[in-house]
Amino acid sequence: APNLKHLLVDEMPARRDNPIMKVKREWQEFASQAKPSRASPCIDTLTFINGDPHHPYERILLNISTMVDLSRLRSLDVAVNSEPAMLSKAASILGQLERLYVHMVPWNKQRVTDWYNNPEGSTWDDEEMISAVQAFRPLRFLCLRGLRNISSLSRILSSHHSLEGLSLEGSDRHPRTPPDGFKYPIFNSEHIRSIAKLCPRLEELRMPLQRSQGNAQECEIYKALGQLSRIQTVYLDLDCDPRSSPQEDEIPSPSCLREVLINSAIDESLVTEIFKLVFFHQQTRKIKNLRVNLVGADGFSRELEHVIRQLARSFLVTRNDFYLNTDELVEVKEIGGVAWQLWR
């Protein structure tokens, strides 16, 4: 396949005939019969679809590098089973990588169990994974799934000042809140200012954020986003669930339920005000788009989840061009409402 540019590796559900071993056997049979090629295909993107690998994707990645030319790979989406050092080794091969999407929680690490048995004494971010991401050349875009600590994030960003896009995504691999009491790496305005200093070129940011009923601290975070002088697009995953260690089928107390419902009440007025807090605290006025989505509803019973999703809607806020004859700063569109109604 000399013209191969995009490769997706999809791990099928477990069965008697292990699909990875089957592919390996077929490849070995093909390689023994095929005529040697003058040049290996040079691919642009490589994606491992399953984010919970039961097989060592990191080793498969290195094996793939012996079959195809990865020296000009632009985009990699990968999760690690158990050996982050293998990902560090792969980083030395990927000399022109620009976009990296990576799960920061190794699937087969023993401390996944430790998080449940001894959450106070566990290390929440994996040091080897942090080192692996630092090993890559300075990137243009970085997606980190499951990172929990702001100090871990700062160390990673110190190696990637060139970032134009940063996406922080939550992970269900460790749902409990760590001892510092915060689910996500960003939980105050100083963290945003730190990112602004570390990544001065940032134009796109996605981050999860624990809602706190729209209090002053939450508003200060929105204002601080204006410190990102080049930011044009912000994607907020707002978490409505204030519980630190939710249990399956747990019935929240009346006070907790009240807070959840307040956090879930996302409408056109709220997202417009969030946009304005960013816009009017950004001297450059670069911000163009704000996407707001609610998360955390799936941590409750199905009945309560339905109630929450009736309150919580996803919106895209787009700034109107200044030259248009309109008194409205933004246009607000609901996203996914029809899909939700069909699903329920």
Side-chain angles (χ1 to χ4, degrees):
N3 297 320
L4 181 66
K5 294 298 180 184
H6 310 286
L7 179 60
L8 282 74
V9 179
D10 190 1
E11 179 182 350
M12 302 297 290
R15 56 190 182 188
R16 289 183 180 179
D17 190 5
N18 186 311
I20 299 297
M21 297 305 297
K22 182 178 179 181
V23 170
K24 186 175 181 179
R25 289 195 303 269
E26 290 179 353
W27 174 260
Q28 290 174 340
E29 181 179 350
F30 168 78
S32 65
Q33 299 175 1
K35 295 180 180 180
S37 174
R38 292 184 178 180
S40 300
C42 184
I43 64 175
D44 293 332
T45 65
L46 175 58
T47 301
F48 292 86
I49 294 178
N50 191 344
D52 292 332
H54 295 85
H55 297 281
Y57 279 178
E58 57 274 25
R59 286 187 174 273
I60 296 173
L61 173 61
L62 289 176
N63 289 338
I64 289 176
S65 70
T66 66
M67 308 173 194
V68 299
D69 183 1
L70 298 182
S71 64
R72 284 181 275 179
L73 189 73
R74 301 290 184 181
S75 176
L76 173 65
D77 190 333
V78 67
V80 170
N81 178 277
S82 58
E83 298 179 272
M86 289 288 177
L87 188 60
S88 297
K89 186 175 180 180
S92 63
I93 302 172
L94 310 178
Q96 295 190 35
L97 193 73
E98 296 179 350
R99 304 175 70 88
L100 174 64
Y101 304 77
V102 61
H103 292 260
M104 296 301 293
V105 186
W107 175 250
N108 200 32
K109 279 285 185 177
Q110 180 62 41
R111 62 174 63 107
V112 170
T113 303
D114 293 342
W115 284 328
Y116 288 92
N117 295 337
N118 183 25
E120 288 75 17
S122 300
T123 301
W124 288 80
D125 288 333
D126 188 277
E127 285 296 321
E128 288 184 292
M129 285 302 303
I130 295 171
S131 298
V133 177
Q134 289 178 310
F136 285 86
R137 65 180 297 276
L139 301 165
R140 291 181 60 188
F141 182 91
L142 178 60
C143 174
L144 302 172
R145 299 170 179 135
L147 195 73
R148 299 296 281 264
N149 194 282
I150 184 61
S151 63
S152 303
L153 177 61
S154 297
R155 289 162 56 195
I156 290 172
L157 297 184
S158 295
S159 300
H160 297 284
H161 292 290
S162 56
L163 283 181
E164 297 174 11
L166 173 63
S167 179
L168 305 174
E169 299 179 11
S171 171
D172 58 3
R173 295 192 199 171
H174 48 186
R176 293 191 177 213
T177 302
D180 62 13
F182 300 99
K183 298 179 186 178
Y184 308 115
I186 297 174
F187 53 84
N188 64 46
S189 58
E190 287 303 316
H191 296 160
I192 299 293
R193 296 186 181 93
S194 174
I195 292 175
K197 293 177 182 178
L198 290 169
C199 301
R201 301 180 185 178
L202 207 60
E203 298 179 1
E204 177 183 348
L205 173 64
R206 177 176 184 173
M207 67 177 194
L209 184 65
Q210 179 66 58
R211 284 218 69 199
S212 50
Q213 305 181 67
N215 64 10
Q217 180 173 330
E218 184 179 335
C219 291
E220 287 301 315
I221 293 175
Y222 301 140
K223 293 177 184 178
L225 288 169
Q227 298 295 312
L228 299 164
S229 61
R230 294 193 182 186
I231 204 72
Q232 298 182 30
T233 299
V234 175
Y235 193 131
L236 296 176
D237 293 314
L238 300 182
D239 191 337
C240 67
D241 187 357
R243 298 172 299 171
S244 59
S245 300
Q247 303 294 324
E248 187 175 358
D249 297 327
E250 174 188 0
I251 300 176
S253 66
S255 61
C256 177
L257 179 58
R258 179 178 182 275
E259 185 174 354
V260 169
L261 295 179
I262 292 175
N263 288 340
S264 303
I266 299 176
D267 58 13
E268 292 90 339
S269 177
L270 176 65
V271 297
T272 299
E273 290 305 312
I274 293 175
F275 185 94
K276 288 180 178 179
L277 286 176
V278 181
F279 179 78
F280 289 116
H281 287 84
Q282 186 185 41
Q283 292 183 351
T284 57
R285 302 291 195 266
K286 290 278 189 179
I287 181 74
K288 293 181 180 179
N289 304 294
L290 171 67
R291 175 73 186 273
V292 178
N293 181 51
L294 186 89
V295 299
D298 56 356
F300 297 94
S301 67
R302 184 177 177 84
E303 293 77 13
L304 182 52
E305 179 183 359
H306 275 255
V307 174
I308 292 172
R309 293 195 184 279
Q310 291 298 318
L311 292 172
R313 295 178 287 163
S314 296
F315 291 96
L316 173 63
V317 184
T318 304
R319 191 191 72 205
N320 288 318
D321 291 323
F322 293 120
Y323 60 81
L324 293 180
N325 185 20
T326 176
D327 295 330
E328 298 296 328
L329 174 64
V330 298
E331 178 183 3
V332 181
K333 293 182 179 180
E334 184 175 358
I335 305 295
V338 174
W340 159 246
Q341 292 298 328
L342 290 174
W343 179 84
R344 62 187 292 267

